Every structure is written in C-alpha cells, then in structure tokens.
Amino acid sequence: MKSVTVYDIAKEANVSVATVSRVLNNTAPVKASTRERIQSLINKYQFQPNALARSLIKKETGMIGIILPDITNPFFPEVLAGLEQEARKQGYTFFLCDTGSSNMDIKEQYKRESQYLNILMEKQVDGIIMLGGRIDLYKCTKEMAKEVAAINKRVPLVLINGNLPGAEFHRVVIDEVAGGRMVTEHLIGLGHRDIAFIGGYPQMSNTVARLQGFRTAMEEAGLPVREDWIDHGGFSVQRGKNMMGRLLDMKEARPTAVVCANDLVGIGAIKAAVKAGLQVPGDISITGVDGVPLAASVIPELTTMSLRCLELGRSAASVMHQLISKSPGANVLTTLMPELVIRESTAPPRA
Amino acid sequence: MKSVTVYDIAKEANVSVATVSRVLNNTAPVKASTRERIQSLINKYQFQPNALARSLIKKETGMIGIILPDITNPFFPEVLAGLEQEARKQGYTFFLCDTGSSNMDIKEQYKRESQYLNILMEKQVDGIIMLGGRIDLYKCTKEMAKEVAAINKRVPLVLINGNLPGAEFHRVVIDEVAGGRMVTEHLIGLGHRDIAFIGGYPQMSNTVARLQGFRTAMEEAGLPVREDWIDHGGFSVQRGKNMMGRLLDMKEARPTAVVCANDLVGIGAIKAAVKAGLQVPGDISITGVDGVPLAASVIPELTTMSLRCLELGRSAASVMHQLISKSPGANVLTTLMPELVIRESTAPPRA
C-alpha cells in the first residue's frame, strides 16, 4: 500500500503543504471551507501524519527522555509511575534510558550518561529528566557538570533529587536532611540512645544529607554519635546484610536501633538480624528510607521515611510540562517533605 | 548559535548532500580524499547529524518500542534489564510505554495499548516488543488481535511470554506449564499431598498454563485436586494475603502446601500465614513463580520457579536485532525452560 503523504493531501485539496500543516497542527487559522476540504481528505485516506516529518516542522516530538541509573531498584519504577501518571495527561511519551549502575563500574555509568544525553539531543526530545548517577554526587567533576549545563541551555531539563554545581537547574527534590532527622527522632522518641547509621556511599549527596539529619537529631537530643557505628557500603539488600553483620559482630557494644540509608539496606539489615537470632523490633529496631512498596512486604514490615516517589515523579512531570509549553512560573526548585511511615520494625528498646 | 546543517557541510565541501550522507551513514563508498574533506568539516563544526532528518533518509531510528503493563511489578524491570543489556550492544535505545495496569480498569489498559501501538508506529520505531496486557489473555478478542497482526506486517514485532490468535508472531516464551509442574513436583517430593493453588486470573494464559502444570503433577502422583483450594484473584501482595486468608479460614481441612501463581502472591501468602500464627515452612510450605530478586529478600526466602527474566529479555532483544537487521534465521518461537530455585519457604510437612 502506497501511503498518502502531506503532499498528496495538499495537491488534491489544491492548497499548499503549509496550509495542510496548519490544519494538522492547529498552528494558525485556516478558512473554514478550506479546513473542511482538507479534513475530509485526511479522513478519506485515514491519513496519519508522519511524526518525524511533523516534528521537523513543529520542532516538537512529544517525547521526554528520562535518564536513570537502575530500573531494578524499585525506587526508580515508583518515580517513573508518578511521572507517567502526570505526563500522560499532557500527551507525552517516554524515552527511557537506563544507565544500569547495579552491576557496573561507576565510571562506565557516567560515560553511559554522556552517551544517552547525546542520543536524546540527537533524537530531539522535548525535554530531559535526570535521576541518580552524576547528579547524586556530593562533588561532581566540573567537566561532567558542564556537559549537563550545556544541555540545559538547549532543552528543558529537570533534575530529580540531585544537583550539579556551576549552573542553575530546574529541580524537584525531597528534603533528605529532614528525612534523616525525622526517622532518627522517631527512634529517640521510642527511648533509643544507642543508634547506628548504615548504608549509602559517602561520595553521594543523598547519603551525606541523610547522615547529616541523623547527626543533627542525635546532637539535639544530647546523644553521642559513635563513629564506629557509622558504616557506608551501598544501597542493596546484600550490602545491608553485610553492614548489619559487621555491626552485630561488635559484641562488646551493640546499638539498639539502626537507621538504614534506604529500604533495601533496611531489608538486608532485618534479614541479617533475624539470621543472627535477634528479634526485630524486640531486640533491635531497624528503619529504612524510600517508602517503596517492597518495604511493606517484608516481615516485619519496615518503618521507613517515604520519599514520596509518586509525588516526586508527578511534580517533575508538571515542571517539565511548564518548561516545554513555556508556561510562566515554573518553579526552579520544588521541595517536598518526606513522610515518616511507622510500621512494625521499630519499638522501644528492651528495658 | 546557528546550527550547521548537512547542506552547509555539502556546500563548503563542494559535494552533494547525498555524498555527505554517504560519509555520515557509511552507506556507500566515497573517494578517500573526498571523505577526508567532509570528515574534517564535520569535525570542525562539531556537526551533529540530525537524527530525525537522518532517519527519514535511512528509515531507521535505532529505537525499539516496548509496551508493558506495569513497571512497578518487579518482573517487568527485570526483563527490561535483560533487554537493555543485549540491545545496548547493538546500539539500540528504548522507548518505554507503560500501560499501567495496576490501578486501572482493564479495558482502559487495552485502549492504552492501542494508543501506544499507534504512537510507536508514528514515531517510526525500528521494532516493537510487547509484554503482558492483551497478549496474556487466554482468549483475546479478534479485533484486538487483528490490530497487532496489522502492526506485525509493518514493523518487526516480538512478543514476550504471550501470544495472539489468527497470525504467527515472533515469540520468546518461558514454558509456564513446565513451571507449574516442576514446582508442584518439588512439593510432592517433600511429601506433601494436600496442596492448594492460588493467584492469577482465569482469563490469563499464564495462569491457565501454571495451573495446568499443577494439575498434571498432581494427577501423575495420583493425588486429588481439591477445587475449593484453587483460588484466583490477582498477582499482587495484597491479593496474596486475601487469598491465603480465605484458605486459612477453612479450618476443617487445610492444605500443607500452597503453590502461588507468582512471587508477589507468594509473599502475601507468607505474610498472611505468619500473621495467623503459622510457621513457614514448619506448618505450611509456600512457593512462588517469577524469581524476582524480591523473592530472596523476604523472610523466609521464597522457594520459586525462576522465569529467567534476564534471559527472556536478552533473547527477545537478540531476536529483535535479527529481525531489524534482516539477518536470516530468526527463530519464530524461542522457548526457555524455567528453573526451580529452592530457598527457605518449603520443607516436608509435619509428621
């Protein structure tokens, strides 16, 4: 079947291609009788305008590129679900780029981010949303930051839960310091004094912020922070098990509660504690950060700081739509407050 | 900054646009000296060929569209991770379309599939991979099947773990009947005779196949299948809790083991059993199907049939690449065998 083009429509309607384009894209008024003639030909041939050709004219693709580090970490699908819920209403579709950090050299990941940034620019997406990766670095190199700043000048860009030095970006973030603080205050409120902090990476800003919140809460309550109870080493269930194992090996002085840097580490910590014969929360209280559905699926259910993944995604989609449609008043910085979700893994310490 | 186009390069190099295109796309030989002259101009202007314009000429976008039903169900991100690992090597990128079934009217989901199929055709992707949704229906309507068959004639299409009547599709599937059978045989081998099956939907082919495997194993072992111990009602943790709750309410005769239609239902079942004061696996053995990482994160760790998500994704990407590159010998049907993963949620029944 030879497909009908915009040129065929224009010819048969005896108008210019530009006029057909105006009807298709609703970009300028067209005389009612002409519009009707064109529309009836569009219907007759079931003409489907070629999106690529059209986007060359309109300079819009309806596509938003999303760069994220690890689709198998449930935090990211949750944020994506929020993004989609909102962006779908506006008719956007997604071009998802997974840089796949979980089993990969971290430098390889940043290289892949650069590749994807280039691909997305080449594909002429309407906007780019970044999560994780270099924007989560506490100290990102100037070179890597510059690359993103250059993209930011060419296309609407929104960062979720991260930042880069040297330029101003549109950002949607959760207050991670408040998160670390609130979850620690919850444990202090239950009567805990001996509290550890495990998980994350010291070079990542989310870890730095959550730990800062932890330290602030301890300090304000007049409690000492034991540096040998602070351990970093990743965000996975397996790393959580390992870190918790090291804590439990300190037989002379064990914490009665452990703040974990995310939910997966919290789940690993629960598993390690249970394997070691401890009861959670009877013998030891454990908390997470993220609020992924998985955290409610373990036994005992994990008390956590919800980072409100869906809302993060929705807010980012909304800022992105404002930027793409050039609506005035898009917030440069949108800050959401995390929410403490008290479940079963926390209780007062044994008397 | 005015951007340099392929026309500017052609003009300055004193060659035709077609010659520049040949150098850019490596589609035909160009005299070495001419090639060098063009390449040096490309370097000089840091010329980035416009992907949209280029794909209009090459009829290739390097994009694979993926339609799936629920990014927050961990099965799908795992398959996606496999797809990406493989397709990335070939230089493809993804256009992910989440039809979002989890909180949605099922008819709405099929409608969204149709929308996405149209969008992907409009965007001129190089291929489409479908997971879940209508291809998982035991009896898909002719109309919905026809729509996909029409697409299949126009662009390479691969179905993962599903099928549609009325046409032949390239498919990569896991043997779900064998899965249901092997997991049931594992329980029978442990000495169980009173085994229930819960989860899934009777209108979905994966549920029908897993249940068929269950029935075959029971029959071959000479064990009766109690129809009141077969319950369908979904694939989520919450649904698993509800279905297990109903089983446990049958106080006169309870099963000693429960085959769950997927891992999330298995996790829900464990939670319901533990809340009811039972020990898993001491009082009751529970199994899942999927093999998502989450299944190893619960306590006790879930014995499951791994559907080999990563391999499913990799195989589908490999078939897709063969179809796009028109390599001969792409398998119409690729069947993978599931793997029994024995963990902690199964044990012999109490004597």
Side-chain angles (χ1 to χ4, degrees), chain A residues 48-56 60-63 71-72 77-78 80-81 84-85 88 91-100 103-104 112 116 118-119 121-124 154 237 241 264 267 270-271 274-275 293-294 296-301 344, chain B residues 48-56 60-63 71-72 77-78 80-81 84-85 88 91-100 103-104 112 116 118-119 121-124 154 237 241 264 267 270-271 274-275 293-294 296-301 344:
Chain A
Q48 205 168 44
N50 179 317
L52 292 176
R54 194 173 56 186
S55 65
L56 279 174
E60 260 176 46
T61 59
M63 287 198 283
I71 192 80
T72 63
E78 282 297 306
L80 271 181
E84 293 199 325
Q85 280 171 19
R88 201 180 263 157
Y92 295 105
T93 43
F94 291 102
F95 196 7
L96 179 76
C97 306
D98 178 8
T99 58
N103 296 305
M104 190 188 293
R112 193 151 283 156
Y116 270 125
N118 284 326
I119 289 170
M121 291 309 292
E122 237 207 58
K123 299 280 182 209
Q124 307 194 325
R154 296 167 63 192
V237 173
K241 277 190 213 172
L264 295 182
I267 288 163
I270 289 179
K271 289 182 68 75
V274 170
K275 296 257 158 168
L294 166 58
S297 299
V298 291
I299 299 168
E301 297 183 9
E344 303 167 343
Chain B
Q48 206 170 44
N50 180 316
L52 291 177
R54 196 173 53 187
S55 63
L56 279 175
E60 262 176 44
T61 59
M63 286 199 283
I71 193 80
T72 63
E78 282 297 306
L80 271 180
E84 294 199 325
Q85 280 171 18
R88 202 180 262 157
Y92 294 106
T93 41
F94 291 102
F95 195 8
L96 181 74
C97 307
D98 177 7
T99 57
N103 296 306
M104 189 188 294
R112 194 153 283 157
Y116 270 125
N118 284 326
I119 289 169
M121 291 308 293
E122 234 206 62
K123 299 280 184 210
Q124 306 193 326
R154 294 168 63 193
V237 172
K241 275 191 213 168
L264 295 183
I267 289 162
I270 289 178
K271 289 182 68 77
V274 169
K275 295 259 157 167
L294 164 59
S297 300
V298 290
I299 298 170
E301 297 183 10
E344 302 166 344

Side-chain angles (χ1 to χ4, degrees), chain B residues 41-329:
Chain B
L41 288 169
I42 290 170
N43 298 342
K44 175 180 165 190
Y45 293 115
Q46 297 192 291
F47 173 64
Q48 206 170 44
N50 180 316
L52 291 177
R54 196 173 53 187
S55 63
L56 279 175
I57 300 165
K58 284 186 64 187
K59 300 240 172 197
E60 262 176 44
T61 59
M63 286 199 283
I64 297 173
I66 300 180
I67 301 181
L68 52 78
D70 183 7
I71 193 80
T72 63
N73 176 337
F75 173 75
F76 296 105
E78 282 297 306
V79 177
L80 271 180
L83 272 166
E84 294 199 325
Q85 280 171 18
E86 187 64 30
R88 202 180 262 157
K89 293 184 210 156
Q90 323 288 356
Y92 294 106
T93 41
F94 291 102
F95 195 8
L96 181 74
C97 307
D98 177 7
T99 57
S101 73
S102 65
N103 296 306
M104 189 188 294
D105 177 16
I106 196 76
K107 280 188 187 159
E108 190 57 38
Q109 193 197 350
Y110 303 138
K111 208 193 274 179
R112 194 153 283 157
E113 283 181 356
S114 300
Q115 286 171 351
Y116 270 125
L117 283 169
N118 284 326
I119 289 169
L120 290 174
M121 291 308 293
E122 234 206 62
K123 299 280 184 210
Q124 306 193 326
V125 291
D126 288 344
I128 298 176
I129 294 174
M130 293 181 77
L131 292 89
R134 73 179 69 175
I135 75 168
D136 276 355
L137 283 174
Y138 185 55
K139 287 184 180 172
C140 181
T141 65
K142 269 190 189 169
E143 208 176 46
M144 290 204 297
K146 261 191 180 171
E147 186 182 36
V148 181
I151 301 271
N152 191 39
K153 288 185 184 161
R154 294 168 63 193
V155 68
L157 183 80
V158 176
L159 310 183
I160 298 183
N161 261 8
N163 201 3
L164 288 169
E168 192 174 61
F169 297 94
H170 282 86
R171 298 192 291 138
V172 176
V173 304
I174 197 94
D175 186 336
E176 310 238 30
V177 177
R181 181 174 173 158
M182 286 156 71
V183 77
T184 310
E185 284 170 352
H186 163 65
L187 291 168
I188 294 170
L190 288 170
H192 291 276
R193 299 181 47 86
D194 302 317
I195 310 176
F197 181 103
I198 62 172
Y201 291 108
Q203 71 273 24
M204 285 180 69
S205 48
N206 56 13
T207 308
V208 172
R210 292 168 196 181
L211 181 58
Q212 187 190 324
F214 167 79
R215 285 184 189 276
T216 304
M218 293 293 277
E219 201 173 293
E220 288 186 356
L223 298 174
V225 171
R226 281 192 54 162
E227 297 302 326
D228 57 335
W229 285 353
I230 295 179
D231 195 5
H232 299 299
F235 285 110
S236 69
V237 172
Q238 187 55 50
R239 299 300 176 88
K241 275 191 213 168
N242 299 346
M243 288 181 278
M244 189 66 177
R246 282 198 292 271
L247 268 186
L248 296 178
D249 282 344
M250 299 182 182
K251 296 223 167 89
E252 53 329 334
R254 270 187 193 168
T256 61
V258 181
V259 174
C260 298
N262 74 337
D263 285 351
L264 295 183
V265 167
I267 289 162
I270 289 178
K271 289 182 68 77
V274 169
K275 295 259 157 167
L278 298 179
Q279 290 200 328
V280 181
D283 297 314
I284 193 161
S285 286
I286 293 171
T287 62
V289 172
D290 268 355
V292 296
L294 164 59
S297 300
V298 290
I299 298 170
E301 297 183 10
L302 188 67
T303 293
T304 189
M305 286 306 307
S306 164
L307 298 189
R308 301 170 65 204
C309 310
L310 288 173
E311 288 85 350
L312 266 181
R314 283 196 208 111
S315 300
S318 158
V319 171
M320 180 53 85
H321 179 58
Q322 287 182 290
L323 294 177
I324 291 174
S325 61
K326 300 193 169 64
S327 315

Side-chain angles (χ1 to χ4, degrees), chain A residues 30-318:
Chain A
V30 173
K31 201 165 69 167
S33 61
T34 309
R35 173 180 291 275
E36 263 171 41
R37 197 159 75 244
I38 292 168
Q39 193 58 54
S40 71
L41 288 169
I42 289 170
N43 296 344
K44 176 179 164 191
Y45 293 114
Q46 296 191 292
F47 172 66
Q48 205 168 44
N50 179 317
L52 292 176
R54 194 173 56 186
S55 65
L56 279 174
I57 300 163
K58 282 185 69 186
K59 303 240 170 194
E60 260 176 46
T61 59
M63 287 198 283
I64 297 173
I66 300 179
I67 300 181
L68 51 79
D70 183 7
I71 192 80
T72 63
N73 177 337
F75 172 76
F76 296 105
E78 282 297 306
V79 178
L80 271 181
L83 271 167
E84 293 199 325
Q85 280 171 19
E86 187 66 28
R88 201 180 263 157
K89 292 185 211 156
Q90 324 287 356
Y92 295 105
T93 43
F94 291 102
F95 196 7
L96 179 76
C97 306
D98 178 8
T99 58
S101 72
S102 63
N103 296 305
M104 190 188 293
D105 176 17
I106 196 78
K107 280 187 185 157
E108 188 59 36
Q109 193 197 351
Y110 302 139
K111 208 192 276 178
R112 193 151 283 156
E113 282 181 356
S114 300
Q115 285 171 353
Y116 270 125
L117 283 169
N118 284 326
I119 289 170
L120 290 174
M121 291 309 292
E122 237 207 58
K123 299 280 182 209
Q124 307 194 325
V125 291
D126 287 345
I128 297 177
I129 295 174
M130 292 181 79
L131 293 89
R134 74 180 67 177
I135 74 167
D136 276 354
L137 284 172
Y138 186 56
K139 286 186 180 171
C140 182
T141 66
K142 266 190 191 169
E143 208 175 47
M144 290 205 297
K146 260 189 181 171
E147 186 182 36
V148 182
I151 300 270
N152 192 38
K153 288 184 184 161
R154 296 167 63 192
V155 68
L157 183 80
V158 175
L159 310 183
I160 298 183
N161 262 6
N163 202 2
L164 289 168
E168 190 173 63
F169 297 93
H170 283 86
R171 299 191 292 136
V172 176
V173 305
I174 198 94
D175 187 335
E176 310 239 29
V177 178
R181 180 174 176 159
M182 285 156 73
V183 77
T184 310
E185 285 170 350
H186 162 64
L187 291 167
I188 294 170
L190 287 170
H192 292 276
R193 299 180 47 85
D194 302 318
I195 310 177
F197 181 103
I198 61 172
Y201 292 107
Q203 70 273 24
M204 287 180 67
S205 47
N206 54 14
T207 308
V208 172
R210 292 168 196 182
L211 181 58
Q212 187 191 323
F214 167 79
R215 286 185 188 278
T216 304
M218 292 294 276
E219 202 172 293
E220 288 186 356
L223 298 174
V225 171
R226 280 191 54 159
E227 297 301 326
D228 57 337
W229 284 353
I230 294 178
D231 194 5
H232 298 300
F235 284 110
S236 68
V237 173
Q238 186 55 51
R239 301 299 177 87
K241 277 190 213 172
N242 300 345
M243 289 181 276
M244 189 67 177
R246 284 197 290 272
L247 268 186
L248 296 178
D249 283 344
M250 298 182 180
K251 296 220 170 89
E252 56 325 335
R254 272 188 192 166
T256 61
V258 181
V259 173
C260 299
N262 73 337
D263 285 351
L264 295 182
V265 167
I267 288 163
I270 289 179
K271 289 182 68 75
V274 170
K275 296 257 158 168
L278 298 179
Q279 290 200 328
V280 181
D283 297 316
I284 191 160
S285 286
I286 293 171
T287 63
V289 172
D290 267 354
V292 295
L294 166 58
S297 299
V298 291
I299 299 168
E301 297 183 9
L302 188 67
T303 292
T304 189
M305 286 306 306
S306 165
L307 297 189
R308 301 171 68 204
C309 309
L310 288 173
E311 286 85 350
L312 266 181
R314 282 195 210 113
S315 300
S318 156

Side-chain angles (χ1 to χ4, degrees), chain B residues 327-349:
Chain B
S327 315
N331 283 336
V332 174
L333 179 64
T334 307
T335 305
L336 304 181
M337 281 305 284
E339 278 169 0
L340 181 66
V341 182
I342 299 173
R343 296 206 182 98
E344 302 166 344
S345 65
T346 50

